[in-house]
Amino acid sequence: MAETQILDEDELALRQPPESPLREFWHIFRRDRLAMAGLIVLVLLLFAAFAAKALTEWTVVFDPATVRLVDKFKPPMSAASTLLPAEDLPRGGIYLLGTDELGRDVFARMLQGSFVSLSIGFVAVGISIFIGILLGGLAGYYGNLRIFRLMTVDTLIMRFTDVMLCFPTFFLILTVVALLPPSIYNIMIVIGLTSWMGTARFVRAEFLALREQDFVVAAQAMGLPERRIIFVHMVPNAIAPVLVSATIGVATAILTESALSFLGFGVQPPFATWGNILSDGKGYIFDAPWLFFIPGMAILVVVLAFNLVGEGMREALNPKLRRRT
Amino acid sequence: MWPFIFRNLLQRLVLLVIVSVIAHSVVHLAPGEPSEVDPANPRMKPEDIVKIREAFHLDDPLYLQYAYWMRDLLTGELKSFKDSQPVLPKIWERFLNSLPLFIVATLIIWTLSFPTGIHAAIRRGSAYDRSTTFVAYTLISVPGFFLSYLVILWVVEWLGVPVIGMRTFGMEEAHWAFRGMDRVWHLVMPSLMSALAGIAVLSRYVRSQMLEVIGQDYVRTARAKGLDEDTVVYRHALRNALLPFVTMFGFLLPGLIGGSVIFEQIFAWPGLGRLGYDAILSRDFPVILTINFIAAALTLAGTFISDILYAVVDPRIRLE
């Protein structure tokens, strides 16, 4: 009984159940105002992208494809011409963000592009994360296995990663995209296949550390199947840094797509992406500046939001910063 | 140390061979061939296509094509598909054009990002730190060609300086000082634009490295001894924070070469990146493959030098 009386405050704090990692993460993340702003932008964007898919393809409320030659190069917020037949009129008779060189509604095209651009980012990152976790996990977990007595699995996979790191990535993407038939899926796949190296490297590092931890050794001692140990016990513990790099990877993929569009190898019509609206717009920078500035600023804001959220997550997951607070 | 260097070099040679094999198979297995570039041309008859395919060994099995490529590359007799000019002199000439861009861009990156990053780390959480953080993220997030177009317009409109190409046409008769200034302007703008993303990335990295080191015990000890702040920051902290940057040197190269495709296209700079772009457009396989090969070789050389420098700079590391 005497023991309880000499507990000081520090020890009391220790006795309390610790905050769950997720709540702790959220507490730190929430204080980062830039990252929160980024998160809000991203949530709005996600809604916008799905709304866009619904409103431009399933029920055509905003039509991105109608060509109205009488109304080309209308500045934003201008009314539609009275010469147009009724079915070609934009919603409300007003071009919210103006029209392009064929009289297409830029607002509708930007909406459609938001879904396409985001899906390029997400699919490409999905592919690269999948390969990264697979190869990194294999190298980390089965690293000591020897193949043909020549080299270990670890050596094989990490040498291959080194090989991929030697390529000038953008040049490689450009080469492959230019040689393959132009298609939006090829672009997603190629970006995904050339950007998994970072993920593989730190999943391997995490796995090497986790493999020695008590809970994994205990799971092995219980005779759980390896499949279960890897996917249920180890991957969730190694996923945090992967999510950070995935967030930043989506940003990079959107930028890569716009760079490919600039060089003329981007997503081909009829798909509108922010990248190809921007690179089409660069020819009209004096006559119709909105065609250049609207997609440019949109890409800037969205990519910035992804980067800020990724960095906020990294800070909140950093154990050194956590202990200090 | 010598056995280490020897073994390391050997490993890198093996890597280089694997890189070249992968690049070769990717380029050759993808659909689209040099003989199909201009199918609408009425003067291209089927027998011409057969002749072309034969001349380029396109009907041979892949490993033979690889062997031909390697043989020609190593004997220096590799010829471009497009104009039958020898590839190596062609690439060398363009490389010499790109080299000043690479050097100036690297200099800009390393000289600007260190002071920015160090100051941000010392005054962590200050207005300076937060604003440089925000600017750095903006620079990473903006599409390179969007910002470049805006900057070109601004420079041309407000400063009245032409910046497209390597020099202004028709300045050959001008005084050497004018020509020199003209060259400097044409060089600085593309280098600066291709350096921006690098500055942002590297300054963030400098900041986090400095933060790591500043929290260490030996820095507190140095402060406790009563050393002035400059000595603590620059002699005790910075020296230790510098170590990882030795390895960054090698890994910055592929980014510069890849990025040069975009920036040389924007600024009409006749360098390596544009040569690669034109080669891709005309399916000029020998040029594409050789540029890729040279880029990989440069990267491997860069990381090799970094590895050795690391051991030289950090006495705790022994090469075995």
Side-chain angles (χ1 to χ4, degrees):
Chain A
M1 289 303 111
E3 207 180 309
T4 44
Q5 285 165 357
I6 49 173
L7 281 179
D8 55 12
E9 277 179 23
D10 281 349
E11 263 174 283
L12 270 178
L14 277 178
R15 294 261 170 118
Q16 267 167 12
E19 261 183 328
S20 82
L22 200 65
R23 287 187 63 103
E24 199 181 352
F25 167 79
W26 177 241
H27 270 298
I28 301 175
F29 186 85
R30 211 173 42 182
R31 276 187 319 196
D32 188 346
R33 254 178 290 164
L34 283 177
M36 275 311 281
L39 188 66
I40 293 170
V41 170
L42 287 193
V43 171
L44 289 179
L45 179 75
L46 266 184
F47 277 116
F50 279 103
K53 183 80 179 166
L55 295 182
T56 57
E57 282 182 34
W58 298 335
T59 55
V60 183
V61 177
F62 298 100
D63 187 358
T66 312
V67 173
R68 313 173 185 88
L69 288 177
V70 271
D71 267 350
K72 57 184 184 181
F73 294 135
K74 289 270 181 184
M77 301 307 287
S78 53
S81 155
T82 46
L83 299 170
L84 279 175
E87 70 268 19
D88 279 359
L89 277 177
R91 195 66 33 184
I94 275 187
Y95 301 111
L96 276 178
L97 297 180
T99 59
D100 65 3
E101 74 275 18
L102 294 174
R104 291 174 297 190
D105 188 357
V106 175
F107 179 69
R109 278 170 66 73
M110 287 296 290
L111 268 185
Q112 191 193 28
S114 66
F115 188 82
V116 181
S117 293
L118 272 191
S119 51
I120 290 179
F122 279 108
V123 174
V125 166
I127 295 172
S128 87
I129 294 282
F130 177 76
I131 302 177
I133 289 183
L134 191 76
L135 289 184
L138 280 178
Y141 194 83
Y142 295 111
N144 294 330
L145 277 184
R146 285 190 164 269
I147 328 169
F148 309 128
R149 295 169 172 256
L150 268 178
M151 53 171 76
T152 58
V153 174
D154 187 48
T155 322
L156 181 73
I157 291 178
M158 294 329 283
R159 286 299 139 219
F160 181 57
T161 313
D162 288 347
V163 166
M164 290 299 293
L165 280 173
C166 287
F167 282 107
T169 319
F170 186 72
F171 191 66
L172 184 68
I173 294 177
L174 189 67
T175 311
V176 179
V177 167
L179 294 180
L180 291 175
S183 127
I184 183 173
Y185 304 105
N186 284 338
I187 291 179
M188 295 174 181
I189 295 171
V190 171
I191 294 179
L193 286 182
T194 47
S195 56
W196 50 267
M197 288 82 77
T199 315
R201 283 187 143 195
F202 49 63
V203 169
R204 168 179 173 267
E206 291 279 322
F207 262 52
L208 284 180
L210 285 175
R211 201 170 57 178
E212 311 297 329
Q213 299 243 332
D214 289 343
F215 70 95
V216 175
V217 179
Q220 282 166 341
M222 282 165 71
L224 292 181
E226 275 176 339
R227 191 175 71 241
R228 200 176 154 75
I229 297 177
I230 292 177
F231 289 107
V232 180
H233 294 267
M234 290 176 79
V235 167
N237 281 296
I239 205 76
V242 175
L243 286 181
V244 174
S245 83
T247 317
I248 293 171
V250 175
T252 318
I254 294 176
L255 281 185
T256 307
E257 190 272 325
S258 77
L260 284 176
S261 287
F262 169 75
L263 293 176
F265 295 114
V267 176
Q268 304 294 316
F271 289 110
T273 65
W274 290 356
N276 62 25
I277 299 175
L278 175 61
S279 72
D280 289 347
K282 71 180 189 287
Y284 309 105
I285 186 167
F286 294 110
D287 303 325
W290 60 91
L291 289 180
F292 188 65
F293 283 96
I294 289 171
M297 294 314 283
I299 294 178
L300 171 60
V301 169
V302 167
V303 173
L304 184 60
F306 272 109
N307 278 328
L308 289 175
V309 170
E311 192 59 25
M313 283 163 70
R314 195 202 305 271
E315 296 265 314
L317 290 168
N318 190 343
K320 280 185 194 136
L321 295 173
R322 201 180 262 192
R323 247 177 267 131
R324 219 174 285 158
T325 52
Chain B
M1 180 146 176
W2 287 108
F4 169 83
I5 292 182
F6 182 71
R7 200 150 32 90
N8 202 316
L9 269 179
L10 206 68
Q11 275 179 355
R12 273 160 216 276
L13 269 182
V14 175
L15 279 189
L16 191 59
V17 172
I18 301 176
V19 168
S20 68
V21 171
I22 294 181
H24 185 267
S25 1
V26 165
V27 167
H28 277 269
L29 289 178
E33 285 194 346
S35 57
E36 293 169 358
V37 170
D38 201 5
N41 188 347
R43 275 178 292 177
M44 279 282 249
K45 297 195 191 69
E47 50 266 39
D48 291 333
I49 292 180
V50 171
K51 221 185 281 171
I52 290 175
R53 293 184 64 90
E54 204 167 333
F56 296 163
H57 306 294
L58 285 176
D59 292 319
D60 291 332
L62 263 189
Y63 62 89
L64 262 185
Q65 293 191 36
Y66 178 77
Y68 285 133
W69 171 51
M70 269 291 151
R71 185 196 66 194
D72 290 348
L73 181 64
L74 295 180
T75 53
E77 285 178 358
L78 195 61
K79 295 257 191 339
S80 156
F81 282 179
K82 193 167 133 197
D83 48 14
S84 297
Q85 294 296 307
V87 169
L88 286 179
K90 206 167 159 175
I91 290 182
W92 177 245
E93 185 197 329
R94 297 300 193 97
F95 178 73
L96 285 185
N97 282 345
S98 283
L99 199 61
L101 275 189
F102 292 157
I103 294 176
V104 175
T106 313
L107 282 180
I108 294 177
I109 293 177
W110 289 78
T111 47
L112 285 188
S113 46
F114 271 94
T116 332
I118 293 171
H119 275 263
I122 297 174
R123 301 180 209 153
R124 182 171 182 221
S126 66
Y128 175 84
D129 183 23
R130 271 176 296 157
S131 55
T132 49
T133 304
F134 190 73
V135 170
Y137 281 114
T138 314
L139 288 182
I140 302 174
S141 309
V142 71
F145 69 97
F146 178 66
L147 189 62
S148 298
Y149 270 58
L150 295 184
V151 171
I152 291 174
L153 283 182
W154 180 74
V155 168
V156 172
E157 290 249 322
W158 290 86
L159 304 178
V161 183
V163 288
I164 300 293
M166 283 179 77
R167 57 179 79 83
T168 307
F169 182 70
M171 289 265 296
E172 292 80 5
E173 304 289 305
H175 190 258
W176 61 266
F178 287 109
R179 265 184 298 149
M181 267 321 283
D182 186 53
R183 292 298 289 268
V184 169
W185 268 108
H186 280 84
L187 180 63
V188 166
M189 289 320 293
S191 316
L192 185 65
M193 297 318 289
S194 51
L196 282 180
I199 298 171
V201 173
L202 202 68
S203 67
R204 301 297 302 160
Y205 197 53
V206 171
R207 175 181 176 273
S208 67
Q209 278 301 323
M210 276 303 277
L211 278 181
E212 193 121 304
V213 172
I214 278 179
Q216 300 282 342
D217 289 342
Y218 56 79
V219 173
R220 196 171 2 147
T221 311
R223 284 223 175 86
K225 278 198 297 188
L227 294 178
D228 61 310
E229 193 59 24
D230 276 357
T231 318
V232 173
V233 171
Y234 293 102
R235 300 280 299 269
H236 290 248
L238 181 62
R239 277 189 174 189
N240 285 290
L242 275 178
L243 279 176
F245 293 99
V246 175
T247 50
M248 294 281 287
F249 229 81
F251 278 108
L252 280 176
L253 259 174
L256 272 182
I257 295 176
S260 71
V261 181
I262 289 265
F263 290 103
E264 287 177 1
Q265 199 66 23
I266 297 170
F267 287 91
W269 187 273
L272 203 55
R274 271 187 90 196
L275 179 67
Y277 179 73
D278 293 339
I280 290 173
L281 278 186
S282 56
R283 307 279 191 273
D284 196 348
F285 291 169
V287 176
I288 302 176
L289 288 172
T290 310
I291 290 180
N292 223 320
F293 186 80
I294 291 175
L298 283 177
T299 311
L300 283 170
T303 48
F304 176 70
I305 295 173
S306 307
D307 274 6
I308 300 217
L309 272 183
Y310 209 96
V312 173
V313 178
D314 190 345
R316 285 168 298 185
I317 290 178
R318 295 263 172 278
L319 298 178
E320 279 156 16

